[in-house]
Amino acid sequence: VRTVAVMTSGGDAPGMNAGVRAVVRRALDCGLEVYGIHNGYEGLVSGGDAIRPLGWNDVGGILPRGGTFLGTARSERFRTVEGRRKAVENLCRRGVQALVVIGGDGSLMGARVLAEEWVTHCAELRRQASEDVCARMPDRLHVVGLPGSIDNDLYGTDMSIGADTALNHIVHAIDDLTSTAASHQRTFIVETMGRHCGYLALMGALGGGASWVLVPEEELDLRWHQKMSRAIERARAIGRPHQMVVVAEGARHPDGLPIRTEELKKILAERLGIDVRVTVLGHVQRGGPPSAFDRILATRLGVAAVDLLLSASEEPLCHMLGLQKNRVTATPLSEVVEKSRAVGSHIDQGNYREAQKLRGESFAR
Ligand code: F6P
């Protein structure tokens, strides 16, 4: 491998910049040529100025910055075969032999499809492209994905880049809300992000000392609101008049309909006659500088991505790098995509059981 391109895709996550920086600097150190793709797959399809060479100084000063300096997007054009053919053409023009994609499951799935279709698109392009482009056209595309998502919903890694920073935002927000809740003897409903995954809600509840948590992975029975109300009532009775209830945005009723924060407010206010307020944390969870953990995770994975590419053989790589038990591991993207979608696979069962044991009155003591 002599030429590598790097991009960020899907929702931004704190630490993505650290990942790009590590890929660029490790690659340059190893004598490779590096391109940065701006605005995710949208930029890959557009080509032109959206795909630019990156030098050492281009990634200077970005380590502590949140978001992604390369920009990101959710691209409709890349979902079409025509769009992906254009993407292949844009990579071929620059002689790119390997692509590093930092993003969530949708983005990694996109990378996998691109790698799979590579040979077909190249064969077609060979019929139309100039001799110059044909001469630069690699036989295969190596793809390495890095898990970049605050949701922490990817199989093949204990943590994804951005999740730790988001979790810290949540715990700090709960701490901050606790002082106003205590002053007014109020109960707060705090909604976290996480899409279909309850990781942020569950860990936020544990770290913030909440009295109840609702996550998508738990199949609720029809009496769930009674149980929740009883837990809050008991916690209040043993001497703490202010309570926190954390709800994941993906939490569902037994019939599959989403649980709304206003609905929780109504249940608790009407059943217990208490003062309830709702705080939806929203995009603040994705913002700001990455935590030390996310910077280091992204840096380790970025360096490992280049090293893996340098060891690549004839067989095209199509893997995601993750951190498992503090070691960098490579998992085939097909496995990552398939297993990440399995319901309930996202939350470490040990942590989940721990939270179950701790909640209710034991949380509030
Ligand atoms: O996947 C990251 C995430 O922040 C989810 O937690 C959330 O559901 C979604 O993205 C929000 O997407 P958008 O920024 O497009 O509103």
Side-chain angles (χ1 to χ4, degrees):
V1 172
R2 289 179 313 277
T3 310
V4 180
V6 59
M7 63 187 266
T8 52
S9 168
D12 65 299
M16 280 181 161
N17 281 331
V20 174
R21 172 180 174 272
V23 169
V24 171
R25 291 197 166 170
R26 181 62 165 179
L28 293 173
D29 245 352
C30 297
L32 306 181
E33 192 183 1
V34 194
Y35 284 93
I37 299 167
H38 292 256
N39 301 330
Y41 288 114
E42 196 52 28
L44 188 54
V45 174
S46 304
D49 214 23
I51 309 178
R52 284 175 250 160
L54 285 175
W56 192 270
N57 291 334
D58 292 321
V59 291
I62 64 169
L63 184 65
R65 275 170 41 195
T68 159
F69 89 108
L70 282 178
T72 182
R74 305 195 203 268
S75 170
E76 281 307 316
R77 286 197 293 164
F78 188 75
R79 289 179 196 276
T80 66
V81 177
E82 196 39 55
R84 292 195 292 276
R85 188 172 309 125
K86 205 75 200 109
V88 169
E89 186 181 343
N90 287 328
L91 290 173
C92 287
R93 274 185 191 288
R94 293 158 181 87
V96 173
Q97 298 151 313
L99 181 64
V100 179
V101 179
I102 311 178
D105 69 335
S107 307
L108 300 186
M109 180 136 87
R112 183 182 158 215
V113 173
L114 195 69
E116 276 172 4
E117 291 179 356
W118 182 263
V119 174
T120 319
H121 288 315
C122 282
E124 196 144 318
L125 286 171
R126 262 196 195 96
R127 289 199 282 275
Q128 315 154 4
S130 63
E131 264 179 42
D132 180 39
V133 174
C134 288
R136 301 204 80 195
M137 202 176 274
D139 297 335
R140 66 191 76 75
L141 179 72
H142 296 289
V143 166
V144 178
L146 303 187
S149 167
I150 64 162
D151 300 341
N152 205 28
D153 58 352
L154 287 162
Y155 177 85
T157 189
D158 296 339
M159 287 295 277
S160 55
I161 297 164
D164 180 68
T165 306
L167 184 55
N168 276 293
H169 280 305
I170 294 166
V171 171
H172 290 148
I174 295 177
D175 288 349
D176 290 347
L177 288 171
T178 299
S179 60
T180 173
S183 306
H184 288 263
Q185 300 92 51
R186 279 176 174 154
T187 291
F188 271 78
I189 313 285
V190 182
E191 186 190 283
T192 65
M193 278 190 170
R195 215 180 278 273
H196 308 299
C197 178
Y199 175 85
L200 289 176
L202 181 61
M203 296 303 148
L206 276 178
S211 305
W212 200 255
V213 60
L214 291 158
V215 294
E217 288 79 359
E218 182 177 12
E219 277 186 40
L220 298 174
D221 61 31
L222 291 170
R223 289 162 20 88
W224 68 270
H225 29 77
Q226 276 133 282
K227 288 183 190 161
M228 175 181 72
S229 306
R230 215 175 310 122
I232 301 298
E233 198 172 22
R234 269 199 239 120
R236 285 173 59 83
I238 59 173
R240 205 176 85 165
H242 58 282
Q243 303 296 324
M244 292 288 154
V245 171
V246 179
V247 54
E249 65 175 348
R252 309 255 144 205
H253 283 276
D255 63 5
L257 288 174
I259 294 177
R260 308 265 177 224
T261 47
E262 285 304 323
E263 182 189 343
L264 293 173
K265 177 179 174 178
K266 197 160 173 272
I267 293 172
L268 292 175
E270 284 178 4
R271 276 176 182 263
L272 306 180
I274 55 175
D275 200 5
V276 186
R277 293 289 186 277
V278 167
T279 300
V280 177
L281 296 178
H283 287 81
V284 79
Q285 295 162 93
R286 248 167 52 188
S291 65
F293 180 89
D294 279 328
R295 296 179 198 195
I296 295 164
L297 172 66
T299 302
R300 287 178 74 181
L301 296 181
V303 167
V306 175
D307 291 348
L308 182 66
L309 288 169
L310 287 172
S311 69
S313 58
E314 292 291 294
E315 192 59 34
L317 279 172
C318 192
H319 287 73
M320 185 193 83
L321 293 183
L323 197 70
Q324 294 180 294
K325 298 197 170 113
N326 206 24
R327 290 196 185 284
V328 176
T329 54
T331 309
L333 272 181
S334 51
E335 198 179 337
V336 172
V337 169
E338 187 192 315
K339 295 196 173 153
S340 296
R341 302 215 155 170
V343 181
S345 66
H346 315 126
I347 286 192
D348 174 70
Q349 291 304 315
N351 284 328
Y352 190 53
R353 275 195 291 274
E354 210 50 42
Q356 297 269 39
K357 266 195 281 166
L358 288 172
R359 77 184 184 186
E361 67 268 40
S362 342
F363 256 159
R365 260 184 211 137

